[in-house]
Amino acid sequence: MPLVRISLRAGKPESYKQKISELVHRAMVETVKVPAQDRFQIITEHGKSDFIYDAQYLNIARTDDLVIIQITLNAGRTTELKKALYHRIAELMNQEAGVRKENVFINLVEVPKENWSFGNGEAQYAT
């Protein structure tokens, strides 16, 4: 059910992008119980002029290694689960991909279940 968009500065190796992808998915499986086979992700790279961010917003020191992760998923998870997800993504990315936790920006977009079609022009989750 989640759709993950990962945005980063252009120039990272393919192995880095794949690792980031795997870590985000693993964190979702572990914390918010996304099924392991439910993996839909879009990774985009951006040049300097197309990747704009505030390097100090909320006194968090960001660099050009910033990774912006937007996850669209079904509504209904608790604030505690969301916090656990944020923490786990940042932790995994830091430990296994060398991304500073300050450079992990996450945005959740919650939608009703009927807002998904996984193919065939059907709303598989609509009740």
Side-chain angles (χ1 to χ4, degrees):
M1 72 190 99
L3 172 62
V4 178
R5 295 179 180 275
I6 301 171
S7 299
L8 58 150
R9 283 284 304 272
K12 297 292 185 185
E14 193 66 30
S15 59
Y16 176 84
K17 293 185 287 185
Q18 289 305 310
K19 186 66 163 179
I20 297 289
S21 167
E22 292 167 14
L23 296 173
V24 171
H25 185 69
R26 187 165 115 202
M28 291 189 306
V29 170
E30 291 175 1
T31 60
V32 294
K33 307 306 180 211
V34 169
Q37 70 279 13
D38 189 357
R39 187 171 175 182
F40 297 90
Q41 299 182 339
I42 301 165
I43 300 173
T44 55
E45 296 181 274
H46 306 273
K48 186 172 181 79
S49 64
D50 297 323
F51 196 70
I52 301 163
Y53 62 92
D54 188 296
Q56 291 294 322
Y57 184 68
L58 297 178
N59 295 316
I60 300 169
R62 294 171 195 83
T63 70
D64 283 346
D65 289 327
L66 178 67
V67 178
I68 298 176
I69 303 160
Q70 184 175 62
I71 303 170
T72 303
L73 71 169
N74 287 338
R77 290 175 174 84
T78 65
T79 299
E80 291 75 27
L81 280 177
K82 293 173 191 178
K83 287 180 178 181
L85 175 63
Y86 304 149
H87 177 78
R88 188 64 175 147
I89 290 172
E91 177 181 60
L92 287 172
M93 288 182 57
N94 179 254
Q95 293 173 351
E96 298 190 26
V99 178
R100 294 172 56 244
K101 290 181 180 181
E102 295 89 343
N103 282 330
V104 179
F105 181 106
I106 304 165
N107 169 244
L108 295 184
V109 179
E110 293 185 296
V111 299
K113 287 185 174 186
E114 65 270 15
N115 284 18
W116 297 96
S117 174
F118 293 91
N120 298 322
E122 299 173 13
Q124 286 85 355
Y125 288 162
T127 56

